[in-house]
Amino acid sequence: MNVKPDIFPFTAIVGQEEMKKGLLLNLVDPRLGGVLIRGEKGTAKSTAVRALADLMPGLQVVNLPVSATEDRVVGTLDIEHAIRAGEKRFEPGLLAAAHGNILYVDEINLLDDAIVDALLDAAAMGINTVEREGVSHSHPARFILIGTMNPEEGELRPQLLDRFALSLEVSGEREIVERMEVIQRRLAFDANPEAFRERYGQEQSRLCQQILHAREQLAQIEPSAQLLEWTAKVGIRLEVDGHRADITLMKTAMALAALAGRIRVLPADMVEAAMLVMPHRMRRRPFEDGGAGTGNIQELLGDLLQEVADVL
């Protein structure tokens, strides 16, 4: 495991099970498409992202601040050098640093439109291309995109929202015992980070091994024709645009099965996947507040949920 004494252990985070599951699924399948975490401040969003990278040796978190310039994000080309020396000189940006790692954007809903467009292009193609005065340079840019935001500060552009494989809501714990545990663990970590991390060392190692095993399981899963048919029906029933949602739904269900140590997708996997993948992609009516909730999705799917249970 990486030695990062200043990182709170992932397995020590109290509650927030859906958030932790969404993050882990992106480690099981790094090409899943990232996760958007919405919620009030102080709900361990940033802590969980940093802790996620700590689980896997060599994995880093590259922070993209909302104040970053376009050149800082995509990189720069030295045009004068190209003209003078006849060769390209490229200064890598954050997208280059994020390749093979986690690209984390806090307050992602406050990003400048030009930065959003650069993220969209790189996330879609897995390649970042910089063009200046007829000179261009491309490099790989495959990363796990994780965004966090407070919905009270504004929403995301629909184009960016759709790029996230998963979207979920987090809030503070409402039970006294859990809130007490949050306080106690944080105080213990601040008092002696090394001792605290050592206490969770075995759990961290077990979770790391679970992820590595899940990656092996994932490679063995082949969705049946019935699963593919049901997935297509869900996209039609929920009236989501395009086919990205269908593909992501299937990939998420497979990752859920693999994380559970299985090579067979169960009805519960498909249902859980739908709750993570579909709400932020469903069309909103004019003046409608927020997106569709999971309860609304279950109501809309209705007989389809029973159908998947029958065929699996």
Side-chain angles (χ1 to χ4, degrees), residues 26-152:
N26 277 275
L27 286 190
V28 173
D29 184 358
R31 294 195 177 189
L32 184 60
V35 58
L36 175 66
I37 306 171
R38 307 167 184 247
E40 59 200 40
K41 295 181 178 180
T43 48
K45 298 188 297 295
S46 298
T47 297
V49 175
R50 291 192 293 269
L52 184 71
D54 185 40
L55 283 172
M56 306 301 293
L59 189 62
Q60 303 293 326
V61 175
V62 176
N63 289 285
L64 194 163
V66 294
S67 59
T69 63
E70 185 176 1
D71 285 347
R72 178 74 183 95
V73 174
V74 303
T76 58
L77 278 168
D78 189 336
I79 301 301
E80 292 185 3
H81 179 81
I83 295 174
R84 184 174 61 254
E87 61 181 15
K88 290 184 288 187
R89 177 184 288 172
F90 177 68
E91 190 69 32
L94 293 175
L95 292 183
H99 180 59
N101 291 299
I102 294 171
L103 182 61
Y104 174 51
V105 190
D106 191 19
E107 298 182 319
I108 192 169
N109 49 320
L110 304 182
L111 273 182
D112 182 84
D113 282 351
I115 308 299
V116 171
D117 290 336
L119 283 178
L120 288 173
D121 291 341
M125 303 298 295
I127 297 174
N128 177 46
T129 299
V130 181
E131 296 184 359
R132 297 287 188 275
E133 306 291 338
V135 179
S136 66
H137 176 82
S138 298
H139 65 80
R142 292 197 176 277
F143 45 81
I144 298 173
L145 179 60
I146 301 178
T148 55
M149 58 175 281
N150 184 346
E152 296 179 356

Side-chain angles (χ1 to χ4, degrees), residues 234-299:
V234 170
I236 294 171
R237 178 70 62 86
L238 298 183
E239 299 183 344
V240 294
D241 295 327
H243 302 289
R244 182 178 289 113
D246 300 356
I247 297 168
T248 304
L249 175 60
M250 190 71 260
K251 292 175 67 176
T252 302
M254 291 165 60
L256 282 165
L259 185 61
R262 293 181 272 102
I263 59 172
R264 180 170 176 263
V265 178
L266 300 180
D269 300 323
M270 298 299 295
V271 174
E272 186 174 1
M275 303 311 173
L276 291 168
V277 171
M278 294 302 184
H280 63 293
R281 291 184 164 90
M282 294 174 65
R283 297 176 185 173
R284 298 181 184 178
R285 298 175 178 84
F287 309 112
E288 186 177 16
D289 225 5
T294 56
N296 191 29
I297 286 181
Q298 289 180 315
E299 182 180 342

